Amino acid sequence: MAQIKSEAAYRAALQRIEELLPLVNDETPTDDKNYLELDMISDMVEEYEDIHYPIGKPSLVDIIKLRLYEMGLNQTKLAEMLGLSNARVSEIMNGKSEPSLKIGRELSIKLNIDPAIVLGI
C-alpha cells in the first residue's frame, strides 16, 4: 500500500478527505469510487498519524479528572466520596503520591474506572 511520506502530503490527504466526506454516507455502496478513495486515504492518514502523532496512554490522574468532569464532581466531592481529606486527594491528583490499594479500589468502584487502569496494567 502507498504511504504518506511528508507533512505536505499528509495535509493534502486531510484536505482530500474533507472533500470526499460530503460525497460518502452510510448508503454509499462499498464499490463506489469515492467510498474506495476515502477508505484508502483514511488508512494512509491513520498509518501516518500512528507514526508521527502517537496518542499516549492517559495517566490515572487524567482519567480521574475526566470522570469527575463527566459526573459533575470536584475534588472536594471526591474526597467526601472516598472518606479522605482534601489534602490527601490533592496529593494524589497532583501526582505527589499514589493511591493505596484500598483507595484505588474505591476509585474504581465510585468513579466506574476499570480496575486494570487503576492498577496501571
Side-chain angles (χ1 to χ4, degrees):
M1 175 188 257
Q3 288 184 327
I4 297 174
K5 297 183 181 183
S6 69
E7 189 67 21
Y10 169 69
R11 285 191 301 274
L14 290 177
Q15 183 177 348
R16 184 62 184 147
I17 287 173
E18 289 298 321
E19 294 167 358
L20 289 167
L21 282 173
L23 306 174
V24 177
N25 60 43
D26 291 339
E27 310 303 315
T28 306
T30 57
D31 61 350
D32 178 85
K33 67 178 184 162
N34 292 321
Y35 178 94
L36 293 170
E37 183 181 2
L38 179 60
D39 189 48
M40 288 182 353
I41 293 175
S42 296
D43 287 346
M44 291 168 33
V45 164
E46 180 182 12
E47 184 179 318
Y48 185 86
E49 288 176 343
D50 286 347
I51 294 167
H52 297 281
Y53 301 107
I55 297 174
K57 192 174 179 182
S59 69
L60 175 58
V61 171
D62 291 333
I63 293 170
I64 293 170
K65 287 178 181 178
L66 175 62
R67 290 299 293 146
L68 291 176
Y69 173 78
E70 291 172 342
M71 297 171 75
L73 302 173
N74 59 28
Q75 214 169 287
T76 302
K77 287 286 186 192
L78 178 61
E80 290 173 16
M81 287 173 65
L82 299 174
L84 300 173
S85 69
N86 285 334
R88 177 69 176 118
V89 171
S90 181
E91 288 175 357
I92 293 169
M93 298 301 287
N94 291 321
K96 293 180 180 175
S97 72
E98 293 285 322
S100 67
L101 190 55
K102 180 181 176 188
I103 294 170
R105 183 174 188 273
E106 290 300 309
L107 283 168
S108 175
I109 293 168
K110 302 225 168 136
L111 297 181
N112 194 26
I113 299 174
D114 186 314
I117 293 171
V118 175
L119 293 173
I121 54 175

